[in-house]
Amino acid sequence: MKIHLISLVIGALALGGAACSKEAPSAGKGATEQAAGAAQAPANAAHAPKDVKPGSHEDWCGEHGVPESQCSRCNPELIPAFKATGDWCAEHGLPESQCLKCNPDLKIVRPPKES
């Protein structure tokens, strides 16, 4: 199931784009709160390049504290893939696997840099 989700996410990412626009609306209120507890860069931090390897240290959305390749707030094209796998929190408008309001003990950790 994980491989299927990863394939869907990568496919949706290839169709979409990897960067947020400054006008991109956040899904639900408190989007910044969603990243609380995650390794978070400043809100104005650059997003991952489009050709970054998913799951790498460089694959990181500093604005939302999740992997860029899985950030449905920056890449709304990913939403159908998350919904198709049952990984969606309708109340907060983001994947359940990233919803810190529903899962306060959830730890989203940025992968370490490769040496």
Side-chain angles (χ1 to χ4, degrees):
M1 178 112 153
K2 278 186 175 181
I3 293 173
H4 182 68
L5 174 61
I6 291 170
S7 297
L8 286 172
V9 169
I10 291 172
L13 179 61
L15 293 174
C20 286
S21 69
K22 291 185 179 183
E23 293 85 35
S26 62
K29 59 183 178 180
T32 330
E33 295 171 19
Q34 293 296 324
Q40 183 180 4
N44 63 353
H47 291 276
K50 291 182 181 183
D51 61 345
V52 72
K53 178 184 171 191
S56 68
H57 176 78
E58 293 75 23
D59 178 30
W60 196 251
C61 174
E63 184 175 355
H64 299 115
V66 298
E68 184 83 38
S69 61
Q70 297 177 19
C71 186
S72 62
R73 289 166 278 187
C74 292
N75 306 300
E77 302 85 11
L78 300 176
I79 294 172
F82 283 108
K83 287 182 175 181
T85 59
D87 184 11
W88 191 252
C89 174
E91 182 179 354
H92 300 115
L94 67 156
E96 187 70 40
S97 60
Q98 298 173 10
C99 186
L100 295 169
K101 290 193 182 223
C102 292
N103 306 297
D105 294 330
L106 181 65
K107 301 286 185 240
I108 303 172
V109 180
R110 185 176 189 175
K113 285 186 179 181
E114 293 182 13
S115 324

